[in-house]
Amino acid sequence: MSGRAQLMWDEAVTSYNFGPGHPMDPVRLALTMRLVEAYELDRGPLEVVAAKPAGQSTLRLVHREDYIAAVRAASADPSVADTAYGLGTEDDPAFAGMHEASALIAGQSVGAAEAVWRGDALHAVNFSGGLHHAMPGGAAGFCIYNDAALAIARLLELGVERVAYVDVDVHHGDGVQAAFWDDPRVLTISLHEHPRTLFPQTGWPEETGGEGAEGSAVNVALPAGTGDEGWLRAFHAVVPELLGAFRPQVLVTQHGADTHFEDPLAHLAVSLDAQRSVAESCHDLAHKHADGRWVALGGGGYEVVDVVPRSWTHLTAIAAGRPIEPTSMVPESWRHEVFRRTRQLGQLRMTDGRTPQWRDFADGGYDPADRLDQAVLATRRAVFPSHGLLP
């Protein structure tokens, strides 16, 4: 193994840019990489690697050929974007070079999956990825190509028999679920804000997988306003037991930072410290259930200065085996870079000052009147029996 961890990065991923005023501001990627460098995580056990863009045959593992052709056409001439494919919409405006930028991000996630399965790295991170809403035949929710689904599809192509995907973005991981709805080799778990109150209005606990793959789709629909304690309680009440029963050979995780209480596009109230805690748990679960094989992706996150860079730098540091002490001061050089790029003042520390704690679901204390507990129990009842587990 050439390195314990790889960070997939090519500066050109910042060309994934829907234009001024769009929430998906690529400055969040650049600032994350600059913070990784400020902590010198790119020196030592973390190897920075630029993978090649996903080619046609790779994209076809998930996406329809006519959709790829439509993306290519809109990329060459944005004026011909076809809204029937979700292109040229308010969420997904067409831009010159769209295909190339999207394929490059997808290539990083596919490269991460290949590196982990082939043993070039134990952990691999692509925080520019996690574009989980793209469907086989259409763009959606700021996502053109579904790099997470493509990484999983590539693992299956390489002979992996069981892949688990855990998505903690505030939005339902609908595109990944759709790609593997009928495939019992892939377990998709999504914790997200309830579909009644947030895009894409899917991810109900009753969505459990297609015929022959019952229980392979798992959805925890969290009440709006859920904070650290409830979020962590739900994660630990669902994810570890299912991974233990499924026994994945590779764990793929998506770490959208838009669960944060400062995120402008959603309604959860999770802190940076809880996000860090879940990243640590995913790392531990990969070692417990998947021989350490872990592919970690980014995702949503629209507080692009104060939240996203710190959250994903914590994720990268955990994967590198050099976790950052939350109370540590953010390097001054990075704060200067933040001001240079955004005219904002960056955060002083790598914490929101929280100490996340939760009550374990298995230790009693279930409250049938509590909306969070109702959500957890609905999910457990829907899928746990399919895995031989008691709800």
Side-chain angles (χ1 to χ4, degrees):
M1 185 176 295
S2 63
R4 184 177 182 277
Q6 286 187 2
L7 173 61
M8 315 306 295
W9 177 256
D10 184 320
E11 202 74 29
V13 297
T14 59
S15 63
Y16 190 84
N17 188 351
F18 291 112
H22 193 282
M24 185 76 95
D25 189 337
V27 75
R28 70 198 193 121
L29 303 179
L31 288 178
T32 301
M33 190 61 194
R34 301 294 85 80
L35 188 54
V36 165
E37 292 166 346
Y39 273 105
E40 299 186 348
L41 296 174
D42 56 328
R43 305 177 189 179
L46 185 69
E47 180 184 10
V48 179
V49 177
K52 64 182 181 180
Q56 185 78 7
S57 62
T58 298
L59 294 173
R60 286 281 289 115
L61 292 174
V62 168
H63 294 291
R64 295 201 320 250
E65 193 164 349
D66 60 316
Y67 172 59
I68 299 169
V71 174
R72 287 182 179 274
S75 182
D77 181 0
S79 69
V80 304
D82 188 344
T83 55
Y85 290 104
L87 303 170
T89 63
E90 184 177 355
D91 275 2
D92 297 279
F95 60 92
M98 178 172 62
H99 165 77
E100 290 75 13
S102 304
L104 182 62
I105 289 174
Q108 305 315 302
S109 293
V110 170
E114 292 173 342
V116 165
W117 183 243
R118 290 172 174 165
D120 297 332
L122 193 58
H123 311 326
V125 179
N126 176 26
F127 56 72
S128 71
L131 305 180
H132 59 172
H133 294 307
M135 293 291 177
F142 314 160
C143 305
I144 305 301
Y145 294 139
N146 195 319
D147 64 284
L150 288 164
I152 294 168
R154 178 61 176 143
L155 287 169
L156 298 176
E157 187 179 50
L158 290 171
V160 181
E161 296 174 352
R162 294 179 307 281
V163 182
Y165 172 75
V166 177
D167 187 320
V168 296
D169 193 288
V170 79
H171 302 91
H172 177 224
D174 56 340
V176 183
Q177 175 179 289
F180 304 105
W181 182 253
D182 297 313
D183 195 332
R185 298 173 297 173
V186 182
L187 174 68
T188 64
I189 306 175
S190 179
L191 288 84
H192 47 266
E193 184 179 329
H194 201 286
R196 283 197 194 97
T197 54
L198 194 66
F199 174 90
Q201 282 79 52
T202 58
W204 299 80
E206 296 79 14
E207 298 171 31
T208 59
E211 186 176 352
E214 293 85 354
S216 67
V218 181
N219 290 289
V220 187
L222 302 169
T226 297
D228 287 359
E229 181 181 354
W231 194 62
L232 293 172
R233 178 170 167 82
F235 179 93
H236 290 283
V238 172
V239 177
E241 285 186 75
L242 286 172
L243 293 185
F246 187 69
R247 298 179 297 110
Q249 294 167 289
V250 182
L251 177 62
V252 180
T253 57
Q254 196 267 22
H255 297 264
D258 42 10
T259 52
H260 196 272
F261 56 78
E262 288 187 2
D263 196 273
L265 298 189
H267 317 99
L268 296 192
V270 173
S271 71
L272 180 76
D273 304 282
Q275 292 176 344
R276 180 182 184 274
S277 175
V278 160
E280 288 182 323
S281 294
C282 289
H283 171 259
D284 294 345
L285 289 166
H287 280 277
K288 185 173 182 179
H289 299 297
D291 294 324
R293 298 187 190 97
W294 182 31
V295 176
L297 309 174
Y302 309 101
E303 184 19 89
V304 300
V305 173
D306 285 350
V307 176
V308 172
R310 292 188 299 156
S311 186
W312 291 348
T313 298
H314 274 307
L315 173 67
T316 303
I318 290 164
R322 289 178 53 189
I324 297 167
E325 174 59 41
T327 58
S328 69
M329 296 293 293
V330 173
E332 188 68 20
S333 60
W334 182 76
R335 297 184 72 238
H336 286 306
E337 179 70 4
V338 168
F339 188 77
R340 185 184 73 82
R341 287 177 175 265
T342 69
R343 290 299 183 262
Q344 296 183 45
L345 299 175
Q347 290 287 328
L348 291 171
R349 296 186 184 274
M350 292 292 285
T351 178
D352 286 334
R354 309 287 178 85
T355 305
Q357 296 178 324
W358 70 95
R359 294 178 298 115
D360 193 284
F361 201 80
D363 291 340
Y366 165 69
D367 182 356
D370 183 83
R371 292 170 63 215
L372 187 282
D373 282 4
Q374 291 170 4
V376 169
L377 191 57
T379 299
R380 290 171 63 106
R381 284 174 171 165
V383 296
F384 271 39
S386 297
H387 296 271
L389 300 171
L390 293 174

